[in-house]
Amino acid sequence: MAALPGPPRPPYALAVADLNRDGRPDVVVGRVEMPGSVYFHTGQGHTFQEISWNDGKGTVYGLAFADFDGDGWPDIVAARSDAPNGIWFSGRPKTGR
């Protein structure tokens, strides 16, 4: 078993998708009244890099992925209670070039 990084926080929803199109599965976690996490697979064994996503409002109880803006990158859709449902648009990672 591989443990995901970061402090312990209870998950409420979980989904898997290749969000950065590197061919490796990434893990998205939704939580109750706190920001969720995207765990990007680093390609180094069973290790992941965590980044925060969403505004931390409501309870994320459903997650899905699709390219809503047509840029070729998957976007995160969250169904929430006590807050509006939302779409978080992703895009090509910034490389500084």
Side-chain angles (χ1 to χ4, degrees), residues 18-64:
D18 182 9
L19 295 180
N20 57 357
R21 301 184 337 178
D22 65 357
R24 295 183 290 269
D26 306 309
V27 179
V28 179
V29 176
R31 297 194 170 84
V32 177
E33 300 292 332
M34 64 176 26
S37 296
V38 176
Y39 297 95
F40 288 103
H41 193 288
T42 65
Q44 306 292 317
H46 300 290
T47 60
F48 293 82
Q49 178 183 3
E50 179 184 12
I51 65 156
S52 182
W53 74 275
N54 86 9
D55 57 11
K57 297 178 181 175
T59 298
V60 175
Y61 61 86
L63 295 164

Short mmCIF file of all heavy atoms in Angstrom, two decimals, residues 18-64:
data_model
loop_
_atom_site.label_atom_id
_atom_site.label_comp_id
_atom_site.label_asym_id
_atom_site.label_seq_id
_atom_site.Cartn_x
_atom_site.Cartn_y
_atom_site.Cartn_z
N ASP A 18 -6.25 10.76 -15.29
CA ASP A 18 -4.93 11.27 -15.68
C ASP A 18 -5.08 12.76 -16.00
O ASP A 18 -5.24 13.15 -17.15
CB ASP A 18 -4.40 10.49 -16.89
CG ASP A 18 -3.03 10.95 -17.32
OD1 ASP A 18 -2.39 11.74 -16.59
OD2 ASP A 18 -2.59 10.53 -18.40
N LEU A 19 -5.03 13.60 -14.98
CA LEU A 19 -5.30 15.03 -15.15
C LEU A 19 -4.20 15.77 -15.88
O LEU A 19 -4.46 16.79 -16.52
CB LEU A 19 -5.55 15.68 -13.80
CG LEU A 19 -6.81 15.20 -13.07
CD1 LEU A 19 -6.94 15.92 -11.74
CD2 LEU A 19 -8.04 15.44 -13.92
N ASN A 20 -2.96 15.33 -15.77
CA ASN A 20 -1.87 16.05 -16.43
C ASN A 20 -1.38 15.33 -17.69
O ASN A 20 -0.34 15.67 -18.23
CB ASN A 20 -0.71 16.30 -15.46
CG ASN A 20 -0.17 15.02 -14.84
OD1 ASN A 20 -0.67 13.93 -15.09
ND2 ASN A 20 0.85 15.17 -14.03
N ARG A 21 -2.13 14.36 -18.15
CA ARG A 21 -1.90 13.65 -19.42
C ARG A 21 -0.48 13.08 -19.54
O ARG A 21 0.11 13.08 -20.60
CB ARG A 21 -2.20 14.56 -20.61
CG ARG A 21 -3.61 15.06 -20.61
CD ARG A 21 -3.98 15.88 -21.81
NE ARG A 21 -2.87 16.50 -22.50
CZ ARG A 21 -2.97 17.23 -23.58
NH1 ARG A 21 -4.13 17.47 -24.11
NH2 ARG A 21 -1.90 17.75 -24.15
N ASP A 22 0.03 12.54 -18.42
CA ASP A 22 1.36 11.93 -18.46
C ASP A 22 1.29 10.41 -18.55
O ASP A 22 2.30 9.74 -18.47
CB ASP A 22 2.20 12.36 -17.26
CG ASP A 22 1.63 11.88 -15.93
OD1 ASP A 22 0.55 11.25 -15.90
OD2 ASP A 22 2.28 12.15 -14.90
N GLY A 23 0.08 9.86 -18.68
CA GLY A 23 -0.10 8.42 -18.79
C GLY A 23 -0.17 7.69 -17.45
O GLY A 23 -0.28 6.48 -17.42
N ARG A 24 -0.13 8.45 -16.34
CA ARG A 24 -0.20 7.84 -15.02
C ARG A 24 -1.45 8.33 -14.30
O ARG A 24 -1.84 9.50 -14.43
CB ARG A 24 1.04 8.19 -14.20
CG ARG A 24 2.32 7.60 -14.78
CD ARG A 24 3.53 7.89 -13.91
NE ARG A 24 3.92 9.28 -13.92
CZ ARG A 24 4.81 9.81 -14.78
NH1 ARG A 24 5.36 9.07 -15.70
NH2 ARG A 24 5.12 11.08 -14.70
N PRO A 25 -2.11 7.46 -13.53
CA PRO A 25 -3.33 7.86 -12.84
C PRO A 25 -3.05 8.84 -11.70
O PRO A 25 -2.09 8.68 -10.95
CB PRO A 25 -3.90 6.55 -12.30
CG PRO A 25 -2.71 5.64 -12.20
CD PRO A 25 -1.77 6.06 -13.29
N ASP A 26 -3.87 9.86 -11.60
CA ASP A 26 -3.82 10.83 -10.51
C ASP A 26 -5.08 10.63 -9.67
O ASP A 26 -6.08 10.12 -10.15
CB ASP A 26 -3.76 12.25 -11.07
CG ASP A 26 -2.59 12.44 -12.05
OD1 ASP A 26 -1.46 12.08 -11.69
OD2 ASP A 26 -2.84 12.90 -13.18
N VAL A 27 -5.03 11.04 -8.41
CA VAL A 27 -6.14 10.83 -7.48
C VAL A 27 -6.69 12.19 -7.07
O VAL A 27 -5.93 13.08 -6.69
CB VAL A 27 -5.66 10.05 -6.23
CG1 VAL A 27 -6.80 9.85 -5.25
CG2 VAL A 27 -5.03 8.72 -6.62
N VAL A 28 -8.01 12.34 -7.13
CA VAL A 28 -8.67 13.56 -6.69
C VAL A 28 -9.54 13.21 -5.49
O VAL A 28 -10.31 12.25 -5.53
CB VAL A 28 -9.53 14.18 -7.82
CG1 VAL A 28 -10.22 15.44 -7.33
CG2 VAL A 28 -8.67 14.47 -9.03
N VAL A 29 -9.40 14.00 -4.42
CA VAL A 29 -10.15 13.76 -3.20
C VAL A 29 -10.98 15.00 -2.87
O VAL A 29 -10.47 16.12 -2.88
CB VAL A 29 -9.21 13.45 -2.01
CG1 VAL A 29 -9.98 13.30 -0.71
CG2 VAL A 29 -8.41 12.18 -2.30
N GLY A 30 -12.27 14.79 -2.59
CA GLY A 30 -13.15 15.85 -2.12
C GLY A 30 -13.38 15.66 -0.63
O GLY A 30 -13.39 14.54 -0.12
N ARG A 31 -13.58 16.76 0.07
CA ARG A 31 -13.73 16.72 1.52
C ARG A 31 -14.94 17.52 1.98
O ARG A 31 -15.62 18.15 1.19
CB ARG A 31 -12.46 17.25 2.17
CG ARG A 31 -11.24 16.39 1.86
CD ARG A 31 -10.06 16.72 2.76
NE ARG A 31 -9.02 15.74 2.58
CZ ARG A 31 -8.11 15.77 1.62
NH1 ARG A 31 -8.09 16.76 0.76
NH2 ARG A 31 -7.20 14.82 1.54
N VAL A 32 -15.17 17.50 3.29
CA VAL A 32 -16.26 18.23 3.92
C VAL A 32 -15.73 19.55 4.45
O VAL A 32 -14.82 19.56 5.29
CB VAL A 32 -16.88 17.41 5.07
CG1 VAL A 32 -17.97 18.20 5.77
CG2 VAL A 32 -17.42 16.09 4.55
N GLU A 33 -16.26 20.67 3.94
CA GLU A 33 -15.92 22.01 4.44
C GLU A 33 -14.43 22.30 4.50
O GLU A 33 -13.96 22.99 5.41
CB GLU A 33 -16.55 22.24 5.82
CG GLU A 33 -18.05 22.15 5.85
CD GLU A 33 -18.76 23.28 5.10
OE1 GLU A 33 -18.20 24.38 5.01
OE2 GLU A 33 -19.87 23.04 4.59
N MET A 34 -13.67 21.78 3.54
CA MET A 34 -12.24 22.11 3.44
C MET A 34 -11.79 21.82 2.01
O MET A 34 -12.43 21.03 1.31
CB MET A 34 -11.39 21.33 4.45
CG MET A 34 -11.40 19.85 4.26
SD MET A 34 -10.30 18.88 5.37
CE MET A 34 -10.12 19.84 6.79
N PRO A 35 -10.73 22.48 1.56
CA PRO A 35 -10.26 22.22 0.20
C PRO A 35 -9.92 20.75 -0.02
O PRO A 35 -9.47 20.06 0.90
CB PRO A 35 -9.00 23.09 0.08
CG PRO A 35 -9.21 24.18 1.07
CD PRO A 35 -9.95 23.53 2.22
N GLY A 36 -10.15 20.31 -1.24
CA GLY A 36 -9.79 18.95 -1.62
C GLY A 36 -8.34 18.90 -2.05
O GLY A 36 -7.60 19.89 -1.98
N SER A 37 -7.93 17.73 -2.52
CA SER A 37 -6.55 17.53 -2.96
C SER A 37 -6.53 16.80 -4.29
O SER A 37 -7.37 15.94 -4.55
CB SER A 37 -5.78 16.68 -1.95
OG SER A 37 -5.67 17.34 -0.71
N VAL A 38 -5.56 17.19 -5.12
CA VAL A 38 -5.21 16.39 -6.30
C VAL A 38 -3.84 15.83 -6.00
O VAL A 38 -2.91 16.56 -5.64
CB VAL A 38 -5.17 17.24 -7.58
CG1 VAL A 38 -4.70 16.39 -8.76
CG2 VAL A 38 -6.53 17.87 -7.87
N TYR A 39 -3.72 14.51 -6.12
CA TYR A 39 -2.46 13.82 -5.90
C TYR A 39 -1.94 13.38 -7.27
O TYR A 39 -2.47 12.44 -7.87
CB TYR A 39 -2.64 12.62 -4.99
CG TYR A 39 -3.10 12.98 -3.60
CD1 TYR A 39 -4.44 12.97 -3.27
CD2 TYR A 39 -2.18 13.35 -2.63
CE1 TYR A 39 -4.86 13.31 -2.00
CE2 TYR A 39 -2.60 13.69 -1.35
CZ TYR A 39 -3.95 13.67 -1.05
OH TYR A 39 -4.36 14.00 0.22
N PHE A 40 -0.94 14.09 -7.78
CA PHE A 40 -0.36 13.77 -9.07
C PHE A 40 0.68 12.67 -8.89
O PHE A 40 1.59 12.79 -8.05
CB PHE A 40 0.31 14.98 -9.71
CG PHE A 40 -0.69 16.00 -10.20
CD1 PHE A 40 -0.93 17.16 -9.49
CD2 PHE A 40 -1.38 15.79 -11.38
CE1 PHE A 40 -1.85 18.09 -9.94
CE2 PHE A 40 -2.30 16.71 -11.84
CZ PHE A 40 -2.54 17.86 -11.12
N HIS A 41 0.54 11.60 -9.66
CA HIS A 41 1.52 10.51 -9.63
C HIS A 41 2.84 11.05 -10.18
O HIS A 41 2.87 11.64 -11.26
CB HIS A 41 1.02 9.35 -10.48
CG HIS A 41 1.78 8.09 -10.29
ND1 HIS A 41 3.05 7.91 -10.76
CD2 HIS A 41 1.44 6.95 -9.65
CE1 HIS A 41 3.47 6.71 -10.44
NE2 HIS A 41 2.50 6.11 -9.75
N THR A 42 3.92 10.86 -9.45
CA THR A 42 5.20 11.43 -9.85
C THR A 42 5.96 10.59 -10.86
O THR A 42 6.92 11.06 -11.46
CB THR A 42 6.13 11.62 -8.63
OG1 THR A 42 6.45 10.32 -8.10
CG2 THR A 42 5.48 12.49 -7.56
N GLY A 43 5.55 9.32 -11.02
CA GLY A 43 6.31 8.42 -11.89
C GLY A 43 7.48 7.79 -11.19
O GLY A 43 8.23 7.02 -11.78
N GLN A 44 7.66 8.12 -9.93
CA GLN A 44 8.75 7.57 -9.11
C GLN A 44 8.17 6.51 -8.16
O GLN A 44 7.86 6.81 -7.02
CB GLN A 44 9.42 8.68 -8.29
CG GLN A 44 9.90 9.86 -9.10
CD GLN A 44 11.05 9.48 -10.00
OE1 GLN A 44 11.96 8.77 -9.59
NE2 GLN A 44 11.01 9.95 -11.23
N GLY A 45 7.96 5.32 -8.65
CA GLY A 45 7.39 4.26 -7.81
C GLY A 45 5.95 4.56 -7.45
O GLY A 45 5.14 4.89 -8.30
N HIS A 46 5.66 4.51 -6.15
CA HIS A 46 4.30 4.74 -5.67
C HIS A 46 4.22 6.07 -4.94
O HIS A 46 3.67 6.16 -3.84
CB HIS A 46 3.87 3.61 -4.73
CG HIS A 46 3.88 2.26 -5.38
ND1 HIS A 46 2.97 1.90 -6.34
CD2 HIS A 46 4.70 1.21 -5.24
CE1 HIS A 46 3.22 0.67 -6.74
NE2 HIS A 46 4.28 0.23 -6.10
N THR A 47 4.76 7.13 -5.52
CA THR A 47 4.76 8.43 -4.86
C THR A 47 3.88 9.42 -5.62
O THR A 47 3.73 9.35 -6.84
CB THR A 47 6.18 9.00 -4.72
OG1 THR A 47 6.74 9.15 -6.03
CG2 THR A 47 7.06 8.09 -3.88
N PHE A 48 3.31 10.36 -4.85
CA PHE A 48 2.40 11.36 -5.38
C PHE A 48 2.77 12.73 -4.84
O PHE A 48 3.31 12.83 -3.74
CB PHE A 48 0.96 11.04 -4.97
CG PHE A 48 0.42 9.78 -5.59
CD1 PHE A 48 0.72 8.54 -5.05
CD2 PHE A 48 -0.38 9.84 -6.71
CE1 PHE A 48 0.23 7.38 -5.62
CE2 PHE A 48 -0.87 8.68 -7.30
CZ PHE A 48 -0.56 7.45 -6.75
N GLN A 49 2.45 13.77 -5.61
CA GLN A 49 2.64 15.15 -5.17
C GLN A 49 1.26 15.76 -4.99
O GLN A 49 0.43 15.71 -5.89
CB GLN A 49 3.43 15.94 -6.20
CG GLN A 49 3.60 17.39 -5.82
CD GLN A 49 4.32 18.18 -6.90
OE1 GLN A 49 4.66 17.66 -7.95
NE2 GLN A 49 4.53 19.45 -6.62
N GLU A 50 1.01 16.34 -3.82
CA GLU A 50 -0.30 16.89 -3.50
C GLU A 50 -0.39 18.37 -3.85
O GLU A 50 0.52 19.14 -3.56
CB GLU A 50 -0.59 16.71 -2.01
CG GLU A 50 -1.92 17.29 -1.58
CD GLU A 50 -2.15 17.21 -0.08
OE1 GLU A 50 -1.19 16.92 0.67
OE2 GLU A 50 -3.28 17.45 0.33
N ILE A 51 -1.51 18.76 -4.46
CA ILE A 51 -1.86 20.18 -4.58
C ILE A 51 -3.31 20.34 -4.13
O ILE A 51 -4.11 19.42 -4.23
CB ILE A 51 -1.67 20.73 -6.01
CG1 ILE A 51 -2.63 20.08 -6.99
CG2 ILE A 51 -0.25 20.60 -6.49
CD1 ILE A 51 -2.90 20.95 -8.18
N SER A 52 -3.62 21.49 -3.64
CA SER A 52 -4.97 21.79 -3.17
C SER A 52 -5.84 22.23 -4.34
O SER A 52 -5.35 22.82 -5.29
CB SER A 52 -4.88 22.90 -2.12
OG SER A 52 -6.14 23.19 -1.61
N TRP A 53 -7.14 21.93 -4.28
CA TRP A 53 -8.08 22.43 -5.29
C TRP A 53 -9.42 22.72 -4.63
O TRP A 53 -9.74 22.19 -3.58
CB TRP A 53 -8.25 21.45 -6.46
CG TRP A 53 -9.09 20.26 -6.10
CD1 TRP A 53 -8.67 19.12 -5.50
CD2 TRP A 53 -10.50 20.11 -6.29
NE1 TRP A 53 -9.70 18.27 -5.31
CE2 TRP A 53 -10.85 18.85 -5.77
CE3 TRP A 53 -11.50 20.91 -6.83
CZ2 TRP A 53 -12.15 18.37 -5.79
CZ3 TRP A 53 -12.79 20.43 -6.84
CH2 TRP A 53 -13.11 19.19 -6.34
N ASN A 54 -10.17 23.53 -5.18
CA ASN A 54 -11.52 24.02 -4.86
C ASN A 54 -11.49 25.05 -3.74
O ASN A 54 -10.45 25.38 -3.21
CB ASN A 54 -12.53 22.87 -4.65
CG ASN A 54 -12.59 22.26 -3.26
OD1 ASN A 54 -12.01 22.76 -2.32
ND2 ASN A 54 -13.31 21.17 -3.14
N ASP A 55 -12.67 25.57 -3.42
CA ASP A 55 -12.76 26.68 -2.47
C ASP A 55 -13.04 26.23 -1.04
O ASP A 55 -13.18 27.06 -0.15
CB ASP A 55 -13.81 27.69 -2.93
CG ASP A 55 -15.18 27.07 -3.11
OD1 ASP A 55 -15.40 25.91 -2.69
OD2 ASP A 55 -16.05 27.75 -3.69
N GLY A 56 -13.15 24.93 -0.81
CA GLY A 56 -13.35 24.43 0.54
C GLY A 56 -14.75 24.61 1.08
O GLY A 56 -14.98 24.39 2.26
N LYS A 57 -15.69 24.99 0.23
CA LYS A 57 -17.07 25.21 0.69
C LYS A 57 -17.90 23.95 0.46
O LYS A 57 -17.72 23.25 -0.52
CB LYS A 57 -17.69 26.39 -0.04
CG LYS A 57 -16.98 27.69 0.25
CD LYS A 57 -17.59 28.82 -0.52
CE LYS A 57 -16.85 30.12 -0.25
NZ LYS A 57 -17.34 31.21 -1.08
N GLY A 58 -18.83 23.70 1.37
CA GLY A 58 -19.74 22.59 1.21
C GLY A 58 -19.07 21.24 1.34
O GLY A 58 -17.93 21.12 1.78
N THR A 59 -19.82 20.21 0.96
CA THR A 59 -19.33 18.83 0.99
C THR A 59 -19.27 18.30 -0.43
O THR A 59 -20.29 18.26 -1.13
CB THR A 59 -20.27 17.94 1.82
OG1 THR A 59 -20.28 18.43 3.16
CG2 THR A 59 -19.81 16.50 1.82
N VAL A 60 -18.10 17.91 -0.89
CA VAL A 60 -17.94 17.30 -2.21
C VAL A 60 -18.36 15.85 -2.08
O VAL A 60 -17.74 15.07 -1.37
CB VAL A 60 -16.49 17.41 -2.72
CG1 VAL A 60 -16.33 16.67 -4.03
CG2 VAL A 60 -16.08 18.87 -2.86
N TYR A 61 -19.44 15.47 -2.78
CA TYR A 61 -19.89 14.09 -2.71
C TYR A 61 -19.85 13.36 -4.04
O TYR A 61 -20.12 12.17 -4.11
CB TYR A 61 -21.29 13.99 -2.09
CG TYR A 61 -22.37 14.70 -2.85
CD1 TYR A 61 -23.03 14.07 -3.90
CD2 TYR A 61 -22.74 15.99 -2.52
CE1 TYR A 61 -24.02 14.72 -4.61
CE2 TYR A 61 -23.73 16.64 -3.21
CZ TYR A 61 -24.38 16.01 -4.25
OH TYR A 61 -25.36 16.66 -4.94
N GLY A 62 -19.48 14.05 -5.10
CA GLY A 62 -19.34 13.41 -6.40
C GLY A 62 -18.30 14.13 -7.24
O GLY A 62 -18.21 15.35 -7.20
N LEU A 63 -17.52 13.37 -7.99
CA LEU A 63 -16.48 13.91 -8.86
C LEU A 63 -16.58 13.27 -10.24
O LEU A 63 -16.86 12.08 -10.35
CB LEU A 63 -15.09 13.64 -8.28
CG LEU A 63 -14.75 14.32 -6.96
CD1 LEU A 63 -13.53 13.68 -6.32
CD2 LEU A 63 -14.52 15.80 -7.19
N ALA A 64 -16.33 14.07 -11.27
CA ALA A 64 -16.27 13.57 -12.64
C ALA A 64 -15.27 14.43 -13.40
O ALA A 64 -14.87 15.51 -12.94
CB ALA A 64 -17.64 13.63 -13.29
#
